[in-house]
Amino acid sequence: MTTSNWLLPEHLSDILPAEARRIEELRRKLLDLYRTYGFEMVAPPLIEYTDSLLAAKGLDLQLRTCKLVDQLSGRTMGLRADMTPQVTRIDAHLLNREGVTRLCYCGSVIHARPSGLLSDRELLQIGAEIYGHAGFEADLQIIQLALESLEMAGVKKPRIDLNHPNVSRVLVDSVPSLAERASEIFSLLNDKDVPSLKELLDGCQDVPQDIANALILLPSLYGSINVLDEAQERLPDLLGIRQALESLRELVGALDNACVGIDLADVRGYDYHSGVSFAIFAPGWHDAIVRGGRYDNVGKVFGRARPATGFSLDLRKVSAGLSPAQPSRAIKAPWGLDVNLVDRIRELRNQGHVVVQIFPNSTQSIDEFIFESELVYSEGDWVLESIQ
């Protein structure tokens, strides 16, 4: 069996000129936006020892991380599958600042397996994190910045789904037999697989009926912000649940201009999220295009527990869901060493124009640019003329 040497592994793809240019322009715009909010950029390495790379998150990240052996030390290294743990390590161990620190980042991440049938294994992850502030103000700024990022990218009609993992965590942790099967329960909640969830609960010993009823109810607690009232009325009156619902109400009140919903069964990242989490959806994308939330004290594994909240998104995924990238305008110019021609081309490029010089005795094949004008020599000067 022969394999064409131009084929790529499954769920990996090349990005062609117009799309690549749009992704790069968006990357620059978003990093500039984050800087206006006071976020400082960091750039962790693509690969590092798994001891640190996988220290701050759970089993899901381990399964998504490609591993290899360092030829210098003999230790196991991993290609990062998520940059957030790396940024947390930088805040906790390298910067070690007092007070609030705002950090942003952008880089490629590689997944050992795709997260879904339509997902890629290589992502261009960009995000922002706030460390050192436990109040809802940090959560609010992160959500506002995520929404502004999507607006800048041209995403229309985004919808935010809020959750607080403590609602489900309090229920599961209240019964030892449930706590032992927490990962299974949270997976079923994410899938909203009520029949399988009922079957699992029936197989556990000594589960109080109100706890079982509450867990079975969670998959239906999604929709408008009125879900919070229903949850308060129908879920057990436990302190952790009351506090979680109050945190959600506080954020909802500050996001009254946004399209906000509630999904109390969306418990992705249950093993590290400590407070309000969120996902942003929009027409044209089959899954969430932004995910984020609070993950206090994850930095403890790096020697310093800190309040933390942030978000990330995949620029390749965002761009792929937009209208096809359009060619950009360009100016056609002849090849030549005439001083006046060289000076005129340099002047146009300094003004931000794209000037493409046509080599002699050659044809030009460019899909990325549309030539709307060209430099021509007329009456002793190089002038721009429209191309009809």
Side-chain angles (χ1 to χ4, degrees), residues 100-323:
V100 174
T101 300
R102 293 177 173 88
L103 300 176
C104 64
Y105 55 90
C106 184
S108 293
V109 301
I110 304 295
H111 290 177
R113 58 184 71 184
S115 58
L117 291 176
L118 302 178
S119 301
D120 288 330
R121 291 166 58 191
E122 181 182 3
L123 290 65
L124 183 58
Q125 186 181 34
I126 190 169
E129 317 290 333
I130 298 178
Y131 299 96
H133 186 73
F136 101 104
E137 297 85 359
D139 299 303
L140 177 61
Q141 183 169 89
I142 282 295
I143 293 175
Q144 290 172 333
L145 188 58
L147 287 170
E148 194 169 344
S149 298
L150 295 183
E151 181 180 4
M152 182 168 285
V155 176
K156 306 297 184 184
K157 299 180 180 179
R159 184 188 82 253
I160 312 167
D161 280 356
L162 297 174
N163 183 29
H164 199 303
N166 282 355
V167 173
S168 52
R169 187 178 290 135
V170 166
L171 295 171
V172 171
D173 289 348
S174 66
V175 183
S177 61
L178 296 182
E180 292 175 358
R181 305 185 67 177
S183 61
E184 297 176 70
I185 294 172
F186 289 127
S187 177
L188 294 174
L189 287 174
N190 272 322
D191 295 338
K192 293 181 170 55
D193 186 350
V194 175
S196 297
L197 182 60
K198 288 180 177 178
E199 183 179 346
L200 184 150
L201 292 172
D202 290 341
C204 293
Q205 300 296 319
D206 302 324
V207 179
Q209 194 60 49
D210 62 334
I211 299 297
N213 291 341
L215 287 169
I216 292 170
L217 176 65
L218 284 182
S220 68
L221 291 179
Y222 72 94
S224 71
I225 59 176
N226 295 330
V227 165
L228 294 176
D229 294 329
E230 183 180 358
Q232 184 172 351
E233 180 179 330
R234 300 182 63 184
L235 292 177
D237 186 22
L238 301 174
L239 177 61
I241 293 178
R242 290 200 305 271
Q243 292 174 335
L245 295 177
E246 184 56 37
S247 295
L248 290 170
R249 288 186 190 279
E250 190 174 26
L251 264 180
V252 165
L255 291 168
D256 55 356
N257 292 326
C259 183
V260 182
I262 304 295
D263 186 351
L264 295 184
D266 186 357
V267 288
R268 291 172 177 83
Y270 75 93
D271 49 350
Y272 65 92
H273 275 310
S274 62
V276 171
S277 63
F278 65 92
I280 304 181
F281 301 82
W285 286 266
H286 68 280
D287 195 6
I289 47 179
V290 179
R291 286 196 178 274
R294 181 161 289 279
Y295 54 100
D296 294 344
N297 302 322
V298 168
K300 184 178 181 180
V301 296
F302 301 116
R304 190 168 183 237
R306 294 253 279 167
T309 183
F311 75 89
S312 67
L313 58 92
D314 174 17
L315 286 177
R316 295 173 58 144
K317 180 177 180 179
V318 170
S319 183
L322 299 172
S323 300

Side-chain angles (χ1 to χ4, degrees), residues 11 19 45 86 91 112 229 295 300 325 335 349:
H11 297 276
E19 185 80 0
Q86 295 182 297
D91 171 73
D229 294 329
Y295 54 100
K300 184 178 181 180
W335 176 261
R349 286 173 175 161

Side-chain angles (χ1 to χ4, degrees), residues 42-45 84-97 103 131 302:
V42 294
T84 306
Q86 295 182 297
V87 179
T88 301
R89 172 180 56 77
I90 289 173
D91 171 73
H93 185 65
L94 297 179
L95 296 179
N96 199 27
R97 295 171 178 171
L103 300 176
Y131 299 96
F302 301 116

Side-chain angles (χ1 to χ4, degrees), residues 309-364:
T309 183
F311 75 89
S312 67
L313 58 92
D314 174 17
L315 286 177
R316 295 173 58 144
K317 180 177 180 179
V318 170
S319 183
L322 299 172
S323 300
Q326 299 301 309
S328 59
R329 296 179 176 86
I331 297 170
K332 183 189 294 185
W335 176 261
L337 300 179
D338 176 74
V339 173
N340 292 329
L341 173 61
V342 172
D343 288 345
R344 185 70 174 115
I345 290 174
R346 182 182 295 113
E347 177 187 0
L348 289 169
R349 286 173 175 161
N350 287 339
Q351 293 171 359
H353 297 287
V354 176
V355 182
V356 180
Q357 289 183 276
I358 308 301
F359 295 129
N361 302 317
S362 68
T363 58
Q364 196 72 33

